[in-house]
């Protein structure tokens, strides 16, 4: 039955809004009826339908009830009490818990007449509730920030959560591994626990390894493998089957390697990708999962470890409309993060960016990413040809593996496109000679390559426990430090170890050799100089090699001499 607007006598907040000329009487009556029918507070209805300014409504309500309006922009999500009030209640009543004092819980609401919200929260928490008035628009934004922060918190995941973690994968049947085995709750829980623990500890890889009498699981953390679990060897087929199901692989095929992917949804706003590879070994399938965290691509260039001059050279090369930037180093040296950091800088609405990868490791919105698939005839060269027909500004090639791909990439760099790619070589100079050995004409290399970045990843010293190390000057000279550096009296540090780190190290830092192709280097390339000659010229022009960059990190106290030796010692 509809309510007659003429019969309504405005009272309370509705009357106040009319008196303060925030609403006319007709609109106020209609809003009052609609809010009542929809069972939502009047202020929420007015703001949702853009009938009045939320700030004006908040101040009018404050005057009506003789209270002040709190500024929620001053509250950070981490300042607010965690998990006191269920998310459904927060969303239902648009009510945000602000702080707890003894047995009293103070809650921000936009409508002080919303007694139902206070009563439900009081019943749910067992605490006395006090309402604090807030601007409706500010309140909505604060609730979103608060709930997002709660979603991305993983520290409280316990065994009860392990079976409920969502993964994207397909179920398949296998004759030798029964359906009951695939649905085995302990195996599901165990695999999920291994994946979650790896994320928590900051591991980059997980290795599931079967042997004749033992089965072990290892994490690669800060570049070092460490054993974390030794389940029974009898569980090896079940664990392998479970991981393959999660990554949509053929669980009946154990004779050839397979590649897959897992997306693990930790919350509504947080997901981690795993790149999966299986390898048939003598005693079963070894499975390695590479953990791909999309947030790594958005860290920003300042935290990667480039020295100021190296960072500027990279940024200058990225600003060029054409040319080729090559990133080189062994597997696991951080090439992908360097490339994606550059792409992230370039990723604007005005640019058309396409990438060909094997496979795409990190998904970036605004970039057209293609997974190469040689089985169907889509290799790097075929993808590059297709890109060039779509008017690209920037092209990224996952890896230059053959002459055909190299030639197409170079032609693209010579014809008004910026090309980024990788090669597996040990230094900048070797990258140039490797391309010559592939068969790329020296003239094309000299006129297209603008910058080469060779890199490694070294472990960072833990800031909480690192301690000074006393090393004689003659030893420092032997290690490669210059007399000028020694004369500055810098302090070397060594790892100690504490409860906040892994054996004295925490996290990793990039160590870089960044070489800009100058006119002199270009002439040497065209004369087909050796990598040794090119490296000497780069040194003469002031470009630090990997060893010198690593020693600079030692001088800065970022890493230890032992770690510098581990990753760059000749």
């Amino acid at each position: 039955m509809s309510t007659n607007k003429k019969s309504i006598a405005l009272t309370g907040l509705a009357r106040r809004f009319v008196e303060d000329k925030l609403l006319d009487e007709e609109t106020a009556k209609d809003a009052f009826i609609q809010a009542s029918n929809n069972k939502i507070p009047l202020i929420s209805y007015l703001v949702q339908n853009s009938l009045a300014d939320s700030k004006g409504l908040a101040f009018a309500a404050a005057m009506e009830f003789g209270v002040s309006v709190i500024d929620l922009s001053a509250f950070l999500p981490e300042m607010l009490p965690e998990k006191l009030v269920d998310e459904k209640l927060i969303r239902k009543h648009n009510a945000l818990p602000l702080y707890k004092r003894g047995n009293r819980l103070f809650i921000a609401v936009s409508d002080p007449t919303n007694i139902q919200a206070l009563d439900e929260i009081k019943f749910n928490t067992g605490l006395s509730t006090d309402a604090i008035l807030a601007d409706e628009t500010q309140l909505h934004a604060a609730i979103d920030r608060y709930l997002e922060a709660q979603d991305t918190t993983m520290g409280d995941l316990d065994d009860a959560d392990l079976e409920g973690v969502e993964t994207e994968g397909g179920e398949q049947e296998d004759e030798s591994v029964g359906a009951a085995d695939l649905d085995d709750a302990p195996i599901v829980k165990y695999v999920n626990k291994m994946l979650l623990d790896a994320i928590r500890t900051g591991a980059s890889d997980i290795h599931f390894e079967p042997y004749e009498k033992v089965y072990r699981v290892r994490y690669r953390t800060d570049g070092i493998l460490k054993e974390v679990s030794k389940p029974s060897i009898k569980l090896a087929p079940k664990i392998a089957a479970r991981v393959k199901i999660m990554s949509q692989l053929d669980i009946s095929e154990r004779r050839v390697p397979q590649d897959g992917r897992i997306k693990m949804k930790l919350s509504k706003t947080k997901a981690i990708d795993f790149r999966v590879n299986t390898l048939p070994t003598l005693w079963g399938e070894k499975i390695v999962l590479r953990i791909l965290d999309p947030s790594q691509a958005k860290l920003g260039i300042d935290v990667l470890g480039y020295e100021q001059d190296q960072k500027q050279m990279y940024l200058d090369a990225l600003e060029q409309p054409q040319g080729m930037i090559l990133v080189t180093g062994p597997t696991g040296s951080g090439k992908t993060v360097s490339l994606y950091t550059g792409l992230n800088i370039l990723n604007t609405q005005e640019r058309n960016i396409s990438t060909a990868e094997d496979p795409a490791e990190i998904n970036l919105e605004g970039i057209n990413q293609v997974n190469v698939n040689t089985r169907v005839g889509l290799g790097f060269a075929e993808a590059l040809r297709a890109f060039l027909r779509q008017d690209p500004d920037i092209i990224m090639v996952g890896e230059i593996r053959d002459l055909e791909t190299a030639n197409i990439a170079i032609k693209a760099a010579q014809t008004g496109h910026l090309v980024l790619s990788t090669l597996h070589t040990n230094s900048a100079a070797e990258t140039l000679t490797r391309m010559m050995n592939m068969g790329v004409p020296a003239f094309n290399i000299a006129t297209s390559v603008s910058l080469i970045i060779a890199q490694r990843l070294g472990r960072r010293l833990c800031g909480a426990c690192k301690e000074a190390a006393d090393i004689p000057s003659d030893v420092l000279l032997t290690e490669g430090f210059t007399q000028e550096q020694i004369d500055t009296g810098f302090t070397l540090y060594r790892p100690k170890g504490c409860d906040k780190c892994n054996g004295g190290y925490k996290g990793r830092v990039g160590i870089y050799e960044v070489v800009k192709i100058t006119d002199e280097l270009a002439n040497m390339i065209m004369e087909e100089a050796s990598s040794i000659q090119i490296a000497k010229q780069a040194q003469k022009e002031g470009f630090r090699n990997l060893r010198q960059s690593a020693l600079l990190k030692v001088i800065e106290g970022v890493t230890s001499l032992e770690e510098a030796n581990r990753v760059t010692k000749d």
Side-chain angles (χ1 to χ4, degrees):
M1 188 174 74
S2 62
T3 305
N4 187 346
K5 281 193 281 187
K6 291 183 179 180
S7 65
I8 294 177
L10 291 175
T11 58
L13 281 177
R15 175 181 51 78
R16 183 79 197 203
F17 296 154
V18 173
E19 289 175 355
D20 288 0
K21 296 184 169 46
L22 294 170
L23 300 169
D24 59 60
E25 189 168 342
E26 188 74 12
T27 302
K29 287 181 178 181
D30 186 62
F32 180 82
I33 294 169
Q34 295 299 327
S36 299
N37 291 342
N38 289 304
K39 297 181 179 179
I40 62 172
L42 175 62
I43 291 178
S44 296
Y45 178 83
L46 292 171
V47 174
Q48 287 172 16
N49 291 277
S50 304
L51 296 173
D53 174 59
S54 64
K55 190 173 182 180
L57 294 174
F59 281 108
M63 292 296 291
E64 179 68 18
F65 288 90
V67 296
S68 58
V69 179
I70 193 167
D71 181 10
L72 289 179
S73 64
F75 281 80
L76 298 174
E78 54 267 28
M79 297 168 57
L80 305 177
E82 291 184 20
K83 300 191 181 298
L84 270 180
V85 182
D86 186 80
E87 179 182 343
K88 290 180 181 178
L89 282 179
I90 292 174
R91 291 290 190 195
K92 176 183 176 182
H93 295 300
N94 201 30
L96 179 66
L98 292 179
Y99 52 90
K100 180 174 172 281
R101 294 287 182 270
N103 199 40
R104 299 173 67 192
L105 180 62
F106 293 85
I107 300 167
V109 294
S110 60
D111 190 333
T113 65
N114 190 5
I115 306 301
Q116 184 187 358
L118 301 179
D119 288 343
E120 280 199 46
I121 293 172
K122 180 179 180 180
F123 179 80
N124 187 263
T125 61
L127 300 171
S128 297
T129 52
D130 289 270
I132 297 177
L133 196 59
D135 177 340
E136 170 85 7
T137 303
Q138 268 196 8
L139 183 57
H140 261 298
I143 287 173
D144 287 341
R145 290 198 307 271
Y146 172 73
L147 293 178
E148 183 175 338
Q150 297 297 298
D151 274 345
T152 55
T153 300
M154 296 190 305
D156 57 351
L157 281 169
D158 54 26
D159 289 346
D161 299 306
L162 295 177
E163 290 183 70
V165 175
E166 287 186 48
T167 58
E168 292 184 0
E171 298 284 333
Q172 300 183 49
E173 294 297 333
D174 179 35
E175 292 177 2
S176 60
V177 182
D181 293 331
L182 301 183
D183 294 329
D184 192 346
I187 295 297
V188 172
K189 182 181 286 190
Y190 175 78
V191 172
N192 284 347
K193 177 175 171 56
M194 289 295 99
L195 270 55
L196 289 169
D197 284 351
I199 295 168
R200 286 194 191 102
T201 57
S204 60
D205 306 314
I206 310 170
H207 294 242
F208 293 93
E209 301 170 312
Y211 297 95
E212 182 179 9
K213 296 180 180 178
V214 297
Y215 189 88
R216 70 176 177 180
V217 182
R218 292 190 292 172
Y219 293 164
R220 187 183 294 278
T221 306
D222 295 337
I224 305 297
L225 279 168
K226 182 179 180 182
E227 186 177 295
V228 294
S229 179
K230 290 185 75 171
S232 167
I233 187 62
K234 295 178 181 178
L235 296 177
K238 294 183 179 182
I239 293 172
R242 176 60 190 164
V243 176
K244 289 166 78 173
I245 287 168
M246 294 169 74
S247 47
Q248 295 182 306
L249 299 179
D250 183 357
I251 64 174
S252 64
E253 179 56 79
R254 301 185 188 87
R255 300 163 298 174
V256 296
Q258 296 186 67
D259 292 295
R261 198 180 187 99
I262 298 171
K263 179 184 284 291
M264 176 172 272
K265 295 179 181 178
L266 302 173
S267 69
K268 292 179 181 177
T269 57
K270 179 77 171 177
I272 299 287
D273 286 342
F274 297 82
R275 193 176 74 190
V276 184
N277 175 264
T278 70
L279 178 69
T281 69
L282 196 60
W283 307 108
E285 288 180 288
K286 173 178 177 176
I287 301 178
V288 177
L289 287 77
R290 170 72 64 88
I291 301 173
L292 310 171
D293 188 349
S295 64
Q296 293 295 308
K298 300 180 181 179
L299 289 175
I301 194 169
D302 291 319
V303 303
L304 297 186
Y306 288 94
E307 301 300 332
Q308 189 59 40
D309 59 334
Q310 295 175 331
K311 182 182 83 169
Q312 196 56 52
M313 281 190 282
Y314 190 16
L315 292 174
D316 289 344
L318 290 170
E319 288 177 2
Q320 299 302 312
Q322 64 185 40
M324 180 180 286
I325 299 172
L326 293 172
V327 182
T328 181
T331 302
S333 60
K335 298 189 298 297
T336 299
V337 172
S338 282
L339 280 178
Y340 274 98
T341 300
L343 289 177
N344 217 33
I345 293 169
L346 296 168
N347 188 12
T348 63
Q349 188 177 347
E350 297 79 23
R351 293 188 175 105
N352 177 17
I353 305 176
S354 296
T355 74
E357 303 167 74
D358 184 22
E361 294 194 357
I362 300 171
N363 299 328
L364 284 180
E365 188 174 344
I367 293 177
N368 309 291
Q369 296 172 276
V370 174
N371 275 335
V372 300
N373 186 347
T374 53
R375 286 178 294 180
V376 298
L378 178 61
F380 284 115
E382 289 77 14
L384 274 173
R385 288 194 190 93
F387 291 165
L388 293 173
R389 291 193 288 269
Q390 295 202 343
D391 189 27
D393 297 301
I394 295 142
I395 294 171
M396 195 268 270
V397 187
E399 183 184 350
I400 293 177
R401 296 175 179 172
D402 52 52
L403 179 60
E404 185 181 17
T405 304
N407 281 332
I408 299 171
I410 282 173
K411 286 176 184 175
Q414 291 172 332
T415 55
H417 307 93
L418 182 62
V419 179
L420 291 81
S421 190
T422 70
L423 276 171
H424 282 91
T425 58
N426 291 322
S427 67
E430 289 176 42
T431 302
L432 296 167
T433 54
R434 167 80 186 279
M435 293 183 77
M436 291 184 212
N437 292 338
M438 277 186 183
V440 179
F443 175 80
N444 284 342
I445 299 171
T447 56
S448 60
V449 178
S450 55
L451 190 77
I452 303 174
I453 301 171
Q455 66 181 80
R456 301 290 187 275
L457 285 178
R459 291 179 291 173
R460 285 182 184 269
L461 281 166
C462 173
C465 69
K466 67 180 182 181
E467 58 183 16
D470 186 17
I471 300 177
S473 296
D474 57 337
V475 175
L476 295 180
L477 283 170
T478 304
E479 290 289 351
F481 293 96
T482 65
Q483 189 61 54
E484 291 78 8
Q485 288 173 330
I486 295 170
D487 290 343
T488 61
F490 64 86
T491 302
L492 273 78
Y493 293 92
R494 63 186 176 196
K496 181 180 180 182
C498 65
D499 57 358
K500 297 180 180 178
C501 64
N502 295 308
Y505 296 98
K506 187 175 183 181
R508 289 193 285 179
V509 64
I511 296 168
Y512 302 94
E513 175 187 14
V514 181
V515 176
K516 179 183 177 182
I517 304 303
T518 61
D519 291 341
E520 184 59 37
L521 285 172
N523 287 332
M524 292 183 70
I525 294 168
M526 285 191 282
E527 292 169 4
E528 298 189 11
S530 69
S531 60
I532 295 173
Q533 292 171 314
I534 293 171
K536 284 182 179 179
Q537 180 61 30
Q539 287 279 290
K540 186 178 176 182
E541 296 191 28
F543 300 119
R544 286 184 298 278
N545 61 27
L546 283 165
R547 179 64 179 171
Q548 292 165 335
S549 292
L551 295 181
L552 201 54
K553 290 286 187 291
V554 174
I555 293 171
E556 293 166 353
V558 175
T559 192
S560 66
L561 182 57
E562 296 95 326
E563 184 65 7
N565 287 340
R566 185 181 73 85
V567 295
T568 65
K569 191 78 170 177
D570 294 331

